Amino acid sequence: MRTGWYVFMIKVSHMSKYYGEYPAVLDISFTVKEGETVGLLGPNGAGKSTTMKVLTGFTPPTSGEVSIGGFDITKNSFDVRKMIGYLPESVPLYSDMSVIEYLQFMAKIRGMKEGIVKRVNEVIEITGLEEYRKVLIGKLSKGYRQRTGIAQSIVHKPKVLILDEPTIGIDPVQVVETRSLIQSLGGEHTLILSSHILPEVSTICKRVLVIHDGKIVADDSPEILSKRLRSTQVCEISVTKTAKLDVIKLFRDQSYVVDIRTKADSNPSYNSFIIETSSTDSVEEKISKLIIENGLGLSKLVSLPLSLEEIFLQLTTD
Ligand code: ADP
């Protein structure tokens, strides 16, 4: 039974999962609101799949509590399963069934009794499988098999969609198409997606939980993570061309400069450089002062945001 109205679609409270003595996930807590798109980002072995298996009721937590839509996953696993669509790391597809047969079969397994044919046709359309509806799953490319996996995860109209590494091992063209499919599904579902591929979470998700060694080490939007975790700053400058001054040496001699390299500039009157600095304290001011003091004309000075890749490296190499 659901007790009272629920505030969060997903609530994870001090959840740990041990495999024998080994803590694959250790004391994690987080909440997800209805309609949020959350990326679970971490390297291999971080604990992403384990977290997802617990959320879907596939495996029980060793300790802690998890609820989906107000239902406790261990006490109300039947109700929870109806609310969740799950794409596991390797989808158990039946290679000798056609796409349509498999999806109708999965709809029945998920407890659907009416409107199966109509709904299966709908998901075939949503996932772009129209041409393949009668093709045996064993004959599909990996990308189309993955679409079939996504189709089975949404066939019963779940509120929550949990996708474990949905684009792993598929070719680049299909990756782009699969990502935009997932992005469109994000609109009507609460979505949790795991990935070790940074561009994936940043294009699809509004919020990123970074997981490392079974613990959540960051929880923010991709943009805020970038600002909060920045310990080095990267700037681009364009200055007037001069033969009189070695600009690279001038900057290298400054204590706050970590690195400087030239960047091709389309304007023949200017030279552009990318400068990496160690401090974030009024770096732009220091750079512009240095340029003016040395009689150089400044046409551009911009701070470049850190990529998620850099953030991730900072977090996980610590
Ligand atoms: P990720 O999905 O981030 O790659 P996993 O959740 O699959 O990470 O794994 C987390 C850790 O738990 C890894 O060290 C992995 O080897 C271990 N692990 C995962 N599944 C099992 C299992 N069934 N038995 C024992 N150890 C496991």
Side-chain angles (χ1 to χ4, degrees):
M1 279 281 282
R2 178 153 54 173
T3 46
W5 185 238
Y6 61 94
V7 180
F8 298 107
M9 184 54 90
I10 299 173
K11 186 160 191 257
V12 177
S13 181
H14 299 288
M15 189 272 279
S16 297
K17 175 71 189 180
Y18 282 75
Y19 293 113
E21 297 280 294
Y22 181 73
V25 175
L26 194 60
D27 193 27
I28 63 167
S29 299
F30 62 91
T31 52
V32 177
K33 287 189 224 130
E34 183 161 10
E36 265 196 289
T37 50
V38 179
L40 219 52
L41 177 68
N44 277 335
K48 304 181 297 294
S49 292
T50 303
T51 303
M52 293 186 142
K53 282 181 195 158
V54 171
L55 287 179
T56 52
F58 200 83
T59 185
T62 310
S63 59
E65 280 165 17
V66 179
S67 68
I68 309 284
F71 292 111
D72 183 281
I73 49 149
T74 38
K75 292 183 199 130
N76 312 102
S77 66
F78 181 74
D79 296 299
V80 165
R81 270 180 223 173
K82 278 200 292 197
M83 295 185 84
I84 288 185
Y86 177 37
L87 178 77
E89 221 174 349
S90 44
V91 198
L93 296 170
Y94 298 94
S95 46
D96 53 355
M97 275 188 184
S98 69
V99 168
I100 197 160
E101 281 167 351
Y102 169 72
L103 293 175
Q104 290 180 356
F105 170 72
M106 290 309 287
K108 282 178 203 148
I109 285 190
R110 295 276 153 65
M112 282 182 74
K113 295 205 166 56
E114 286 167 16
I116 290 180
V117 171
K118 183 164 172 275
R119 178 62 185 158
V120 165
N121 283 336
E122 255 169 39
V123 296
I124 282 178
E125 202 177 306
I126 292 168
T127 52
L129 283 164
E130 293 98 328
E131 280 179 49
Y132 301 89
R133 59 174 69 226
K134 292 199 175 137
V135 176
L136 294 183
I137 289 172
K139 299 248 187 266
L140 293 176
S141 70
K142 244 194 133 201
Y144 279 90
R145 249 180 275 163
Q146 198 66 337
R147 283 178 196 227
T148 311
I150 294 172
Q152 67 76 29
S153 75
I154 57 170
V155 75
H156 55 305
K157 296 191 177 172
K159 280 187 171 284
V160 179
L161 202 51
I162 296 186
L163 310 176
D164 197 353
E165 301 262 7
T167 62
I168 205 157
I170 58 182
D171 73 71
V173 177
Q174 298 261 346
V175 166
V176 175
E177 290 178 0
T178 309
R179 271 187 204 152
S180 63
L181 166 64
I182 296 169
Q183 216 161 6
S184 69
L185 295 175
E188 48 192 288
H189 299 86
T190 303
L191 176 72
I192 299 206
L193 165 125
S194 77
S195 184
H196 65 284
I197 310 160
L198 304 168
E200 190 147 286
V201 278
S202 56
T203 52
I204 300 173
C205 304
K206 298 250 172 14
R207 178 178 162 205
V208 185
L209 297 178
V210 183
I211 182 162
H212 182 53
D213 275 349
K215 293 183 215 74
I216 291 173
V217 293
D219 175 358
D220 250 317
S221 70
E223 298 79 20
I224 293 183
L225 263 185
S226 159
K227 283 192 191 133
R228 193 161 65 82
L229 300 165
R230 189 184 298 185
S231 65
T232 59
Q233 190 169 344
V234 182
C235 292
E236 183 183 337
I237 59 163
S238 289
V239 294
T240 43
K241 264 193 178 150
T242 171
K244 281 188 249 153
L245 188 68
D246 185 345
V247 178
I248 292 200
K249 182 167 182 330
L250 175 71
F251 277 96
R252 283 227 168 103
D253 287 344
Q254 308 304 312
S255 59
Y256 57 86
V257 172
V258 175
D259 195 19
I260 174 165
R261 58 184 187 275
T262 51
K263 183 179 182 255
D265 200 321
S266 52
N267 187 331
S269 316
Y270 290 94
N271 273 333
S272 288
F273 302 91
I274 302 289
I275 306 174
E276 193 187 335
T277 63
S278 59
S279 88
T280 53
D281 244 345
S282 50
V283 159
E284 283 104 322
E285 205 181 311
K286 286 180 190 158
I287 291 174
S288 55
K289 205 166 157 216
L290 188 70
I291 290 168
I292 291 159
E293 279 172 354
N294 285 277
L296 293 166
L298 178 63
S299 96
K300 183 177 183 183
L301 169 57
V302 285
S303 222
L304 306 177
L306 278 188
S307 69
L308 259 179
E309 193 105 42
E310 289 164 299
I311 295 166
F312 189 59
L313 284 174
Q314 281 183 13
L315 281 167
T316 54
T317 51
D318 193 333

